[in-house]
Amino acid sequence: MDTSSVSMELSGSTTSNHTLNSTGGGSWEISDKAKLCRFLCYGSEGALYSTRENGHISVEKTGALQSMLQEKQGTEVLEEIKRFAQDGQAVRLEPSIFALALCSQNPDVNTKQAAFKALKDVCREPAHLFSFIKYKKELKEHMKCGIWGRALRRALSDWYNEQDAMSLAAAVTKCKQREGWSHQDLLRLSHTKPARDAIALISKYVTKGWKEVQVAHENKENAEEVIRVLSYLEVVEKVKHSRDETEVVTLIEEHKLEREQLLTEHLKFKQVWSALLKEMPLHSVVKMLGRLTSGKVLEPGSSETQFLCDRIQSETALKQAKIHPFSILLATENYKKGHGYQGKPKWEADRNILKAMDSAFYKSFMNVEPVGKCFVVAVDMSGSPSSIVPGTSISTAAAAAAIAMIFARTEADTHVLVYSEEAMVPFSISADMTLKEATDELVKSTRERGAQPSGSAFMLQFQSESRDCTVPIQWATENRKAVDVFVTLSNNPLWTLTASLVESLKKHRETSGANSKLVMCNLTNIGIAIPDTEDRGLLTISGFDLGAFSVIRNLAQDLI
């Protein structure tokens, strides 16, 4: 999943993947389909989603998928692959692409044909297509079969031939190669026969080069589509050979060229970046604020900075980008830090940009489509509130406050609680409360309940104390709240996972009638608690990122 946005629309079908256990009482077995959906969502069949886990995907991680294929359930597998790939429900797309490659190697003819037919639906961009071929090659040794059969060649030919010509021209000039494969490789090995003149032109450009294209089309009466593609490729070639800053800027502005189509040398020019900013996707803009400030593209009081601030705060732009508030927050905290990875580059955060990002954070709440479930968000800040969520620049206290605020403002039936050993205490997040106010109140509430989160000394004090995650469930049961999803957020490295956890959840299901689930989020990525249970309603999240919202959302809708 580009992890910069979360699916903002409910799936048309939310058919439950739960299987009632033979023991009854509202507990679910973890079926092969559930494991498959977990794999497609976050790359693991297990009950743990780790924000730092971007390991290599292999056949060994796909036991449930292989089991379903052996049981002739290829059609059902492919429907899930397409759903996760198309609906934006996956944290990242790589597991779906790998699963598709595995299906395309299956001995069952119907499964294989359906997999190749789904290629254009799952691999919508060149980068996805290159990943698919990479996985096909890796599976060749494991499956003891070749990859360049007639079915793959036809599928690749269809992928190129069914593209809009102008879109394909842009795609092949932005993403030329990846994963050790190029468009030239794929067109050559698939023996693609272009279905129309414009595709033939692009194919010749990729395989033979611009000079061959010029020779083939000079003094020739070309169709309108061919003329448009020719003109576009001519611009791409012109910018590739230009060393004139003014000319490059003009070409960018007139033809909406993107960064990937420029030379590295072009990116040294301030005006080139200014031109790119006008059309650059908002997700990319907010991630590059530090680099743009460091490179003096964004300077205090400049027209570029004012343009950017206006765009960041634009409700229209935010809505069009479908950018999630947590994405804005992560980008803001990275920008505040004043330096990149290992201290380079360095910059001084612009006050007006920070103000615009703060405004965008609250406005982007409109992009979060409610699930329509009852949530309990229980926050335990018994660890150091200044500890950092791994892989980010945000403190665990600010992250917990932001997560609670997002649920409270987008889900009508949400209860936010402050977590302690003795009791759960309601925590109110008003409509006009800022994130800083919510964070301060959260830390204050923790202190008032006996904890003094003041740093390493405090952490040492709590090394012998663990947190019992059944407390929020007991609170809901005692207060007769029918809760669909419990979300616990903690920066305490120690959690207590006893047999009573499943029993508490089971009891709440029985008394409330709700299909309750529990997501345990350890914000510090330390002392990960993985429940040893076959209950499919329990998941653990290690760390926290934008993908974690997708995981919680999918679990709430019975999709994983």
Side-chain angles (χ1 to χ4, degrees):
M1 163 191 232
D2 180 352
T3 61
S4 61
S5 65
V6 170
S7 173
M8 302 301 175
E9 297 180 3
L10 294 175
S11 170
S13 172
T14 56
T15 304
S16 173
N17 288 322
H18 289 155
T19 302
L20 284 178
N21 199 330
S22 57
T23 59
S27 183
W28 301 287
E29 294 176 348
I30 306 176
S31 66
D32 280 342
K33 185 177 179 181
K35 291 179 181 178
L36 167 68
C37 291
R38 284 180 178 179
F39 174 77
L40 296 176
C41 179
Y42 53 85
S44 170
E45 295 181 350
L48 170 66
Y49 166 61
S50 175
T51 61
R52 305 300 296 274
E53 180 59 50
N54 287 311
H56 181 69
I57 301 173
S58 63
V59 176
E60 289 70 28
K61 295 182 179 181
T62 60
L65 190 160
Q66 294 183 73
S67 177
M68 291 182 71
L69 292 179
Q70 288 172 4
E71 295 296 322
K72 307 295 182 183
Q73 296 177 308
T75 301
E76 189 173 3
V77 169
L78 286 162
E79 285 303 313
E80 293 300 328
I81 291 173
K82 287 191 290 185
R83 181 161 63 85
F84 273 88
Q86 293 176 321
D87 294 349
Q89 295 166 347
V91 173
R92 57 195 182 105
L93 197 56
E94 290 298 302
S96 294
I97 298 173
F98 183 88
L100 185 69
L102 192 59
C103 288
S104 74
Q105 304 278 84
N106 193 263
D108 180 70
V109 175
N110 292 331
T111 298
K112 183 182 295 186
Q113 289 177 344
F116 283 122
K117 187 177 180 180
L119 180 64
K120 57 183 178 293
D121 297 321
V122 177
C123 301
R124 288 167 289 179
E125 299 176 8
H128 304 156
L129 193 63
F130 294 142
S131 291
F132 176 77
I133 299 300
K134 177 193 74 170
Y135 290 134
K136 288 280 289 181
K137 184 179 180 182
E138 290 176 359
L139 289 168
K140 177 183 177 181
E141 297 299 325
H142 184 85
M143 306 297 291
K144 296 182 180 179
C145 59
I147 70 170
W148 290 105
R150 184 182 301 173
L152 176 59
R153 296 200 304 270
R154 185 186 301 116
L156 287 176
S157 295
D158 290 344
W159 191 93
Y160 284 102
N161 280 321
E162 293 177 11
Q163 299 281 339
D164 169 77
M166 286 299 292
S167 297
L168 182 61
V172 300
T173 55
K174 285 191 292 185
C175 182
K176 299 176 183 178
Q177 58 184 17
R178 196 165 294 181
E179 308 291 358
W181 296 92
S182 67
H183 290 290
Q184 187 175 28
D185 296 327
L186 302 194
L187 288 167
R188 177 176 57 83
L189 292 167
S190 64
H191 308 302
T192 295
K193 294 181 180 179
R196 57 191 194 275
D197 290 344
I199 303 299
L201 188 163
I202 296 169
S203 178
K204 184 178 286 291
Y205 174 75
V206 169
T207 57
K208 302 293 185 180
W210 175 241
K211 288 185 179 180
E212 290 283 340
V213 170
Q214 285 179 306
V215 171
H217 290 274
E218 66 180 353
N219 302 322
K220 182 179 178 182
E221 188 173 336
N222 297 304
E224 185 179 340
E225 185 181 41
V226 172
I227 293 172
R228 287 201 306 271
V229 173
L230 267 174
S231 299
Y232 183 79
L233 294 178
E234 184 177 14
V235 168
V236 172
E237 286 296 309
K238 191 173 184 179
V239 81
K240 277 169 55 177
H241 295 89
S242 178
R243 299 296 184 272
D244 183 87
E245 181 179 0
T246 303
E247 182 181 42
V248 173
V249 168
T250 301
L251 292 172
I252 291 170
E253 292 178 339
E254 289 183 355
H255 302 278
K256 297 184 178 180
L257 298 181
E258 298 184 36
R259 182 176 43 149
E260 295 81 2
Q261 294 166 307
L262 305 181
L263 300 176
T264 303
E265 183 179 330
H266 295 153
L267 301 179
K268 297 176 182 178
F269 299 138
K270 175 181 174 180
Q271 292 306 314
V272 168
W273 279 107
S274 297
L276 288 171
L277 268 179
K278 296 175 183 178
E279 298 291 339
M280 188 181 291
L282 199 55
H283 294 101
S284 301
V285 171
V286 298
K287 289 179 180 179
M288 296 185 66
L289 291 174
R291 178 175 177 177
L292 295 170
T293 303
S294 174
K296 305 299 181 183
V297 178
L298 299 175
E299 295 187 283
S302 70
S303 58
E304 288 84 1
T305 299
Q306 186 57 55
F307 170 81
L308 181 67
C309 290
D310 291 342
R311 188 179 173 204
I312 288 174
Q313 297 178 85
S314 166
E315 290 189 9
T316 302
L318 289 168
K319 200 167 189 176
Q320 186 177 12
K322 296 184 178 179
I323 196 164
H324 194 280
F326 204 69
S327 286
I328 297 285
L329 179 61
L330 293 176
T332 302
E333 295 303 314
N334 280 333
Y335 184 57
K336 281 181 182 177
K337 188 169 59 174
H339 62 82
Y341 180 65
Q342 294 184 336
K344 294 181 180 180
K346 294 185 178 181
W347 61 84
E348 184 176 345
D350 185 273
R351 180 169 50 87
N352 289 327
I353 293 176
L354 288 174
K355 186 176 179 181
M357 290 289 282
D358 186 62
S359 174
F361 172 73
Y362 300 106
K363 288 181 179 179
S364 61
F365 278 72
M366 65 182 173
N367 288 332
V368 184
E369 186 73 23
V371 177
K373 302 289 185 179
C374 177
F375 286 86
V376 160
V377 180
V379 184
D380 166 33
M381 287 290 105
S382 56
S384 170
S386 60
S387 58
I388 301 298
V389 178
T392 77
S393 301
I394 187 173
S395 70
T396 53
I403 296 163
M405 180 178 284
I406 289 169
F407 277 104
R409 291 193 179 183
T410 60
E411 297 292 344
D413 196 0
T414 294
H415 306 273
V416 180
L417 311 171
V418 174
Y419 192 111
S420 73
E421 283 297 316
E422 295 77 20
M424 297 304 307
V425 181
F427 181 77
S428 176
I429 298 179
S430 61
D432 59 348
M433 182 179 282
T434 66
L435 178 59
K436 184 181 185 307
E437 290 170 344
T439 304
D440 292 344
E441 284 298 314
L442 191 62
V443 173
K444 181 181 177 183
S445 296
T446 303
R447 288 173 175 156
E448 287 177 350
R449 280 155 188 84
Q452 296 296 324
S454 56
S456 58
F458 176 80
M459 289 292 288
L460 290 172
Q461 174 187 342
F462 275 86
Q463 286 300 304
S464 60
E465 296 185 28
S466 59
R467 289 300 173 211
D468 181 1
C469 32
T470 65
V471 178
I473 304 173
Q474 294 168 3
W475 174 89
T477 303
E478 291 168 2
N479 287 275
R480 300 182 181 277
K481 303 288 185 182
V483 178
D484 295 304
V485 185
F486 294 93
V487 180
T488 60
L489 306 170
S490 178
N491 62 1
N492 188 323
L494 295 178
W495 285 63
T496 299
L497 289 180
T498 63
S500 64
L501 175 63
V502 177
E503 290 303 313
S504 294
L505 196 59
K506 181 178 177 181
K507 180 181 178 182
H508 183 72
R509 289 168 180 161
E510 290 174 343
T511 57
S512 68
N515 291 333
S516 305
K517 297 114 182 169
L518 170 63
V519 183
M520 296 168 288
C521 305
N522 191 320
L523 301 177
T524 61
N525 216 1
I526 301 172
I528 307 305
I530 306 175
D532 183 18
T533 173
E534 287 299 307
D535 191 308
R536 199 172 148 264
L538 273 72
L539 283 179
T540 297
I541 293 177
S542 170
F544 207 93
D545 61 4
L546 187 62
F549 282 100
S550 290
V551 173
I552 296 171
R553 185 182 185 85
N554 286 334
L555 184 68
Q557 297 181 88
D558 295 333
L559 298 178
I560 61 173

